[in-house]
Amino acid sequence: MDSETYIEKIYIIQPILDETYKNLQEEAVSLIESSGAVYAGTIYQKIREVNPATYIGYGKLEELRKRLKDLDVTTLFNGELSPSQTLNISAALDDKKVIDRTTLILAIFARNAKSNEGKLQVELAQLKYMYPRLKGKGEGLSRLGGGIGTRGPGETKLETDRRKIRVRIAYLEEKLRQIESTRSLVAYRRKKDGIKSISLIGYTNTGKSTLLNLLTKSDVYAENRLFATLDTTSRKFTIDGSDFLLTDTVGFLRELPHNLISAFHSTLESALNCDLALIVCDATSDYQMQLDTTLETLRELDKQIPYLIVMNKSESLQNFDAYPAGCIFISARQNLGIENLKNKILQFFQSQFSDVVLTIPYTQIGSYNKLRNFLDEKSVQYNDESITVSARVQKIYLSRFQSFLN
Ligand SMILES: Nc1nc2c(ncn2[C@@H]2O[C@H](COP(=O)(O)OP(=O)(O)OP(=O)(O)O)[C@@H](O)[C@H]2O)c(=O)[nH]1
Ligand SMILES: [Mg+2]
């Protein structure tokens, strides 16, 4: 099969577990389109009890088998399947290729990974996900043909045996560790330079990259599809003469599988290591779900960062009442509300920091040096008995400097 011209058609199996199933199905259609495949249809199944062997019941599978009999389609189970469930469903559907939501998202990630690190991360996640699935079959994945789950950075490795995969996994993990240690050094230098960092986080496709482009006059890839951004990009920008570092990163998705979050853990980690987060939501879509998903993901990653809520795409809103209190309405595409956003960012930093003048007797330089990481020095003046330091301190750290305050 020629993987260049082959366009995969995907049929969705949508389990009905609660009332969100319709939204999940629509999202699956967007995921399919974002992966470069074509949506072919959906079969729904209300789940009263999960069948451990095939998740959905045999009756439904037989109905689906008949429906898909003469079609060249891949079936997407819109949830997570165990390796054996995947194989059993495939067997029940005349050996049709079966993928789950994680495999589909990984395919999108593989397609969109641009940086070296992004590619390594995706390949690692793909191999880890594939590994137990290879086991069940006892043969290479090559029999599955082209398309999702067999494409991407891992492609050339698919013919290799399990031992080679294990070696490759170890190699990728080591490589990523090296990249990460370089990055911590960069982050450390930045902290030392005292530039405040702001990260754009939030649900996928809400306009984070568009906002980065607008604020920093950049040209990062922004597109109407899910997970257009995978790599973390940082750019400097200035508000009223103050420099900030703005970071754009991978977006979130409801029920994003855990192994995907962990695959991108170090990428996210660097973005979430910021002084302020702007949580970007799409005001024209289910913003409450987007916000909840984002806050939930931050909790899972154990990140407590101060944030402002930015309601993007608000250019044609008629009613502003139903939105969270204090959120900032903008349109990144039409450059609306941006001055207000900048003011809110400045106000935030002004409320977080105090400008202080410290007097440090030479006899206490040692104890002052231990605290220096907690402030940004603006100027230092050497006197006979002491030094005088003008600095900016986060209010939460102010008490540590009590004995040096004039
Ligand atoms: N109507 C409208 N569309 C916008 C606005 N801002 C961005 N968009 C569109 O929303 C889509 C997604 O924008 P991106 O900037 O790629 O979104 P993102 O949050 O970076 O998405 P991912 O990187 O895929 O997670 C694009 O088609 C943008 O043109 C806006 O203010 N109004
Ligand atoms: Mg983006």
Side-chain angles (χ1 to χ4, degrees):
M1 208 171 315
D2 181 353
S3 64
E4 289 300 311
T5 53
Y6 174 74
I7 295 181
E8 195 162 9
K9 292 176 254 346
I10 300 188
Y11 205 93
I12 301 174
I13 304 176
Q14 178 62 55
I16 303 179
L17 295 159
D18 55 38
E19 72 285 357
T20 65
Y21 75 93
K22 195 67 206 151
N23 290 337
L24 282 166
Q25 187 269 350
E26 283 165 11
E27 196 162 74
V29 174
S30 299
L31 285 170
I32 288 169
E33 286 163 356
S34 300
S35 78
V38 171
Y39 167 62
T42 304
I43 191 166
Y44 294 92
Q45 161 92 91
K46 198 167 176 92
I47 306 290
R48 286 193 191 80
E49 209 177 323
V50 173
N51 179 338
T54 52
Y55 201 107
I56 63 171
Y58 290 113
K60 202 69 175 182
L61 275 177
E62 181 53 20
E63 181 189 331
L64 188 60
R65 188 186 70 80
K66 288 190 188 131
R67 205 188 280 189
L68 302 183
K69 204 164 177 299
D70 299 316
L71 301 177
D72 173 24
V73 292
T74 294
T75 35
L76 163 70
F77 177 82
N78 195 17
E80 275 205 78
L81 291 178
S82 69
S84 64
Q85 285 169 339
T86 311
L87 297 171
N88 293 338
I89 294 177
S90 173
L93 298 176
D94 299 331
D95 269 345
K96 282 223 156 35
K97 189 169 114 187
V98 174
I99 59 173
D100 65 3
R101 199 171 137 91
T102 303
T103 310
L104 178 61
I105 295 171
L106 278 170
I108 301 172
F109 278 26
R111 196 180 137 108
N112 295 349
K114 301 263 175 341
S115 72
N116 192 23
E117 181 181 25
K119 287 179 184 159
L120 296 177
Q121 282 172 329
V122 177
E123 181 181 353
L124 181 61
Q126 282 185 318
L127 289 180
K128 281 187 169 172
Y129 203 68
M130 213 180 269
Y131 188 76
R133 283 159 175 79
L134 278 177
K135 240 183 205 163
K137 262 307 203 240
E139 53 183 304
L141 271 184
S142 53
R143 63 175 291 281
L144 296 178
I148 287 167
T150 63
R151 230 182 352 214
E155 181 176 31
T156 54
K157 316 301 174 303
L158 293 175
E159 307 267 311
T160 60
D161 61 16
R162 273 182 260 153
R163 194 188 62 78
K164 282 191 185 155
I165 291 184
R166 281 202 303 273
V167 171
R168 183 77 187 157
I169 286 177
Y171 167 81
L172 291 169
E173 284 177 336
E174 178 52 32
K175 265 275 153 333
L176 284 164
R177 252 196 302 277
Q178 286 169 9
I179 295 177
E180 192 168 353
S181 62
T182 318
R183 195 184 17 230
S184 336
L185 200 68
V186 174
Y188 171 75
R189 291 217 183 98
R190 175 175 63 69
K191 262 220 148 69
K192 250 181 67 202
D193 290 347
I195 298 179
K196 295 291 161 248
S197 59
I198 303 174
S199 288
L200 297 165
I201 60 171
Y203 215 69
T204 180
N205 209 38
T206 54
K208 300 178 293 300
S209 302
T210 309
L211 181 57
L212 176 106
N213 285 339
L214 179 71
L215 288 174
T216 67
K217 303 184 178 60
S218 305
D219 195 18
V220 308
Y221 183 62
E223 183 61 67
N224 188 19
R225 53 151 115 150
L226 310 187
F227 300 117
T229 305
L230 280 190
D231 300 318
T232 296
T233 305
S234 295
R235 295 270 190 281
K236 248 196 199 168
F237 80 115
T238 311
I239 309 176
D240 275 359
S242 303
D243 280 343
F244 296 93
L245 195 71
L246 190 66
T247 298
D248 176 31
T249 190
V250 59
F252 301 142
L253 190 76
R254 141 183 54 174
E255 290 171 35
L256 194 62
H258 270 269
N259 39 3
L260 284 185
I261 296 187
S262 65
F264 279 78
H265 195 265
S266 68
T267 306
L268 276 172
E269 191 67 34
S270 69
L272 297 179
N273 190 7
C274 61
D275 299 304
L276 170 68
L278 301 181
I279 299 186
V280 183
C281 299
D282 177 346
T284 64
S285 173
D286 190 351
Y287 57 86
Q288 194 59 50
M289 179 279 292
Q290 297 165 7
L291 185 58
D292 292 346
T293 303
T294 305
L295 294 174
E296 179 65 33
T297 311
L298 290 181
R299 262 195 299 278
E300 279 172 23
L301 294 168
D302 205 17
K303 286 288 166 198
Q304 291 168 352
I305 348 167
Y307 61 83
L308 300 172
I309 302 172
V310 177
M311 279 295 156
N312 189 30
K313 310 196 187 182
S314 64
E315 68 269 5
S316 46
L317 284 190
Q318 302 295 330
N319 185 352
F320 295 81
D321 297 339
Y323 293 87
C327 71
I328 304 159
F329 293 95
I330 65 158
S331 167
R333 192 191 262 175
Q334 298 195 10
N335 197 353
L336 298 171
I338 303 302
E339 281 312 308
N340 181 37
L341 173 62
K342 288 181 176 172
N343 284 335
K344 290 277 164 46
I345 292 172
L346 281 184
Q347 276 168 23
F348 167 81
F349 282 105
Q350 276 153 8
S351 71
Q352 295 286 302
F353 292 89
S354 287
D355 288 319
V356 293
V357 178
L358 306 174
T359 306
I360 301 132
Y362 287 113
T363 52
Q364 290 182 40
I365 287 283
S367 47
Y368 171 71
N369 277 340
K370 288 193 192 120
L371 295 173
R372 274 174 92 170
N373 278 338
F374 294 99
L375 52 61
D376 297 330
E377 288 181 351
K378 299 286 176 217
S379 70
V380 181
Q381 186 190 316
Y382 294 86
N383 317 312
D384 288 345
E385 312 264 301
S386 65
I387 60 173
T388 306
V389 175
S390 299
R392 170 161 277 211
V393 191
Q394 270 198 55
K395 283 192 176 151
I396 47 170
Y397 298 137
L398 205 54
S399 60
R400 299 179 191 219
F401 295 93
Q402 199 58 48
S403 61
F404 302 127
L405 283 168
N406 293 334

